[in-house]
Every structure is written in C-alpha cells, then in structure tokens.
Amino acid sequence: EAGVVQSPRYKIIEKKQPVAFWCNPISGHNTLYWYLQNLGQGPELLIRYENEEAVDDSQLPKDRFSAERLKGVDSTLKIQPAELGDSAVYLCASSEARGRADTQYFGPGTRLTVL
Amino acid sequence: GEDVEQSLFLSVREGDSSVINCTYTDSSSTYLYWYKQEPGAGLQLLTYIFSNMDMKQDQRLTVLLNKKDKHLSLRIADTQTGDSAIYFCAEWSGTYKYIFGTGTRLKVLA
C-alpha cells in the first residue's frame, strides 16, 4: 500500500515568489494534516482537514498561507508571497479517524528554501 | 498551556540500551506516541501507549508511562547503528491535536 505522497521533495525560490506543495494521503484516510517543521524542532500543526472541511486552521498564517482539499482527497498548501522565514520542511500526514486520537502517517515532506 | 519537552541529544554504544525521556503537561492526553525521523524523511510511527497503561513492550522497544509525573520514556534494547535518528515524543491533547516535542537526536557509536 502506498504511503502519503508529497511533491515536490525540494523547492528553492526567491522571496516574494509564490510556492505550492501537494499531498496525496493514504487511500481511505479522511483526515489530513499539514505541519511545519523548522530545523531542530518538532512538527507544528498548520491545518487539519476532515474530508474537505478545514476543522482546525487556527495556526495557519492566513495573510500569506492558504490550503485546499477539493473532493476530500488530495490537498494543496500555498504560500504567497514567500518570506525568508518560511524556509522549513512542510509535512503532510493522514489518518483514518475523524478528530479522535488515531495514528498519523507522515509523508517525506517538502523542504522549502527561500533565498 | 500544552508543552512537550525532551532532551536534545543522546549518545550510546552499539549493543547498549538507549533510554529517551519526555515530559508533557496536558493531563487530559489520552494517547502518547513515539516517532522516529531519519535524515530527509518524514516521521515514522514506532509505538504508542494509551494513558491507562503504564508499560508497553514491542520487540526491542519498551514504553514506560508515569501519568502522575507526566513522564514518558522509550527504551531501545540492543541499540544498533540503524537506530541513529531523531526521536519525537507526541501527545494527543485534549484539544484534538498532536503536540510534538523538540526531538532527541540519538547517535549510536559502533
């Protein structure tokens, strides 16, 4: 069974440019998460979807970040415009459960470098 | 507030046991997890423990939970060089989200 797929794996852009990350969760997983992981830190939740509904986006910087999960499967996270401080790894994870504790499966992440 | 703390580094010799510690603050946590992250990879679930348990063993891994002290530990028996990675403790908090620690970098010396 395929795991969580993310692309691209690496992205280098100049500041003020837009960037987008894509995630395909494990088949059948209703819940999808986007995390930000800074160097030397644990992941921090940006947004959680249950099917196509964003149920927790309280940590998403909405002035420049946006996300969507059309049809409740794949998801895209966008940054526009990117800033130097956005350099980090962006992790996507998925789980079966609806909002209760359940095992999350992580993708390999997209490493973003903003110059 | 919710917080999960871990020591930053641990170095052990191959064949020895490793013990990685974690403290958390949310007493309403129902599940606690250990994840492993190798360079350039995402997080891989190693094991988890429900809050009404105090120990769980899974092959070389032993998880101990002291709910009174909000202390969690992961013991890796017969540590191998392939165990070198960053280990994250995480709690499923009462606010329906995972809270991750900062990670402990385990280095296994041959």
Side-chain angles (χ1 to χ4, degrees):
Chain A
E1 180 184 336
V4 176
V5 179
Q6 290 188 247
S7 69
R9 292 293 315 277
Y10 304 92
K11 189 74 177 178
I12 301 173
I13 60 171
E14 294 188 344
K15 64 180 180 183
K16 300 185 182 179
Q17 294 300 305
V19 65
F21 315 124
W22 175 79
C23 173
N24 178 241
I26 292 173
S27 177
H29 281 194
N30 297 321
T31 307
L32 183 146
Y33 310 76
W34 281 104
Y35 287 90
L36 165 71
Q37 186 178 22
N38 286 305
L39 188 64
Q41 300 291 319
E44 298 174 25
L45 181 69
L46 288 172
I47 189 167
R48 172 168 66 95
Y49 281 94
E50 289 180 8
N51 297 306
E52 65 274 10
E53 183 184 358
V55 296
D56 184 356
D57 63 356
S58 56
Q59 302 302 310
L60 189 73
K62 297 182 185 63
D63 56 336
R64 297 182 302 107
F65 286 65
S66 64
E68 60 183 9
R69 192 184 183 198
L70 299 176
K71 301 181 182 178
V73 181
D74 295 0
S75 178
T76 304
L77 178 69
K78 298 178 181 177
I79 309 175
Q80 182 169 11
E83 298 179 351
L84 294 175
D86 296 331
S87 294
V89 175
Y90 292 82
L91 294 167
C92 180
S94 69
S95 69
E96 285 185 278
R98 178 180 286 273
R100 61 176 174 85
D102 197 18
T103 302
Q104 294 188 14
Y105 296 87
F106 283 81
T110 297
R111 182 177 295 276
L112 174 67
T113 301
V114 182
L115 304 175
Chain B
E2 302 153 338
D3 196 17
V4 177
E5 295 189 355
Q6 300 178 238
S7 53
L8 292 180
F9 298 102
L10 177 65
S11 179
V12 299
R13 295 208 170 274
E14 191 174 21
D16 288 350
S17 292
S18 309
V19 179
I20 302 171
N21 294 301
C22 169
T23 57
Y24 60 97
T25 57
D26 187 352
S27 58
S28 64
S29 294
T30 52
Y31 288 87
L32 294 130
Y33 297 83
W34 284 104
Y35 282 85
K36 175 183 180 183
Q37 187 175 36
E38 296 183 82
L43 278 69
Q44 173 196 352
L45 177 69
L46 287 178
T47 188
Y48 64 92
I49 190 167
F50 188 52
S51 58
N52 68 352
M53 299 168 64
D54 52 19
M55 186 182 91
K56 181 179 180 181
Q57 186 152 6
D58 184 0
Q59 300 183 332
R60 291 191 298 123
L61 306 178
T62 303
V63 178
L64 295 178
L65 175 61
N66 181 328
K67 197 172 179 183
K68 174 176 170 290
D69 295 337
K70 300 191 187 68
H71 182 266
L72 184 73
S73 68
L74 174 69
R75 179 178 181 269
I76 306 173
D78 187 25
T79 312
Q80 303 298 306
T81 54
D83 295 324
S84 293
I86 301 175
Y87 290 81
F88 289 95
C89 165
E91 63 170 342
W92 175 257
S93 78
T95 55
Y96 296 97
K97 59 179 67 173
Y98 271 59
I99 306 296
F100 286 87
T102 52
T104 298
R105 184 180 295 273
L106 174 65
K107 183 172 182 179
V108 182
L109 306 172

